[in-house]
Amino acid sequence: MGLAASQTRYLSLTARKSDLEYQSQVINTRRLQLAYKSAEAAKAYTEGMNNKIIKVAKYGTTNGTTTKEWEELNFSNLLSNGYQLIGANGASLQPSPYTEYISGSSITSLIYDGLTESQKESCTKNADGTYTVTATIRKDTDPSYNGMDIQTLLVSGQAQIVTKAFFQYLCQHGYGTGRYVDDDGKEISYSELLDKWQSSPETSDIATIVDWRSDTTSTFKQSYYTEDDAQVNADYEAATAEIQAQDKMLEMEIKNIETQHKAIETEMESVKKVIDKNIENSFKSFA
């Protein structure tokens, strides 16, 4: 092989070697992405197997003995246990599980018919068949209300459970209107209103906000949600199997590249020896 041919071959091998090194980098990047996917799958599995739900006690009587069962918290059983749901720091929930008719507003006869007898007393009939609300009315929606997930709201701190007595107290002082007022109509903050409730001799011994996080309570507790465990496990195994299969293929590709890379390096060394020998012989011709 002549000098020119040897140099051409050497340059070709160098280009091929660089291409293989680039392919190796691409494959390693893809394997790194698979490692991230594996970490995400493991995280989803951990969260899915350790997720909790809030349960509320349901009391009954069997053969004269009081029984207690735990059922998943929803708006209906929250109300049946004498509690209410409000936004954090006394804010109104949006959307709200309560339909509110502000004093001075007009309602149809259909809405009027759906009110309780005591609520109807806060309405006056108009000549056109509609009714004018004379005192703000708050009506609970369908007991199965879940416009926002109660569990999510409570765990994230966006909502809190309060006793019905305290909730009624809040309603009397402006809950749902965007501003609280004291008995004289002066604007007051939620924290001030709460302090006023807790410091009053008449209400200081009545509970306000319920600590649902405590497992020692007789009404609420958190427990592991297991109904989705089988699906979570199946999803994790499927994701892991796919990641392992892809990683195995990439591993085979990288080994093939390494074999080619080693063969090219060996050939480059051989060609370089030929080039060196050709150069040496050329210089000897002029010695």
Side-chain angles (χ1 to χ4, degrees), residues 33-54:
Q33 292 173 343
L34 288 178
Y36 287 140
K37 284 186 177 181
S38 180
E40 290 174 357
K43 181 181 179 182
Y45 175 78
T46 300
E47 292 177 347
M49 297 299 287
N50 291 286
N51 56 343
K52 291 184 176 182
I53 59 172
I54 305 171

Side-chain angles (χ1 to χ4, degrees), residues 95-260:
S96 174
Y98 322 104
T99 301
E100 191 171 63
Y101 304 107
I102 305 298
S103 176
S105 62
S106 178
I107 60 174
T108 65
S109 58
L110 184 62
I111 294 176
Y112 175 82
D113 292 339
L115 299 177
T116 64
E117 292 304 317
S118 61
Q119 290 172 336
K120 289 179 179 179
E121 293 177 359
S122 298
C123 302
T124 56
K125 190 172 183 178
N126 302 316
D128 59 359
T130 62
Y131 292 81
T132 297
V133 179
T134 58
T136 299
I137 299 171
R138 181 171 287 100
K139 180 184 177 184
D140 294 330
T141 61
D142 187 331
S144 63
Y145 163 82
N146 200 21
M148 292 181 292
D149 183 32
I150 296 177
Q151 307 270 342
T152 301
L153 287 172
L154 290 171
V155 172
S156 65
Q158 298 180 66
Q160 55 192 12
I161 297 173
V162 297
T163 59
K164 195 167 186 179
F166 182 58
F167 177 74
Q168 292 174 342
Y169 177 77
L170 293 178
C171 292
Q172 293 169 0
H173 292 81
Y175 178 82
T177 65
R179 57 188 289 268
Y180 285 110
V181 294
D182 60 16
D183 295 332
D184 298 324
K186 181 181 178 181
E187 189 165 346
I188 188 174
S189 68
Y190 169 72
S191 59
E192 291 173 328
L193 198 62
L194 177 60
D195 289 340
K196 185 176 180 180
W197 169 278
Q198 293 175 333
S199 62
S200 172
E202 293 81 11
T203 56
S204 59
D205 60 342
I206 302 177
T208 52
I209 302 170
V210 179
D211 182 14
W212 57 269
R213 291 182 182 274
S214 174
D215 284 340
T216 60
T217 179
S218 60
T219 306
F220 300 98
K221 74 172 184 178
Q222 271 189 302
S223 62
Y224 287 104
Y225 183 69
T226 58
E227 292 185 15
D228 63 346
D229 285 0
Q231 185 61 51
V232 169
N233 188 64
D235 291 344
Y236 175 70
E237 290 182 350
T240 301
E242 182 180 356
I243 290 171
Q244 290 176 344
Q246 292 180 9
D247 187 65
K248 190 67 176 178
M249 292 177 61
L250 293 176
E251 183 181 6
M252 294 175 63
E253 287 185 35
I254 201 72
K255 285 183 177 180
N256 183 43
I257 288 174
E258 289 174 352
T259 300
Q260 294 183 55

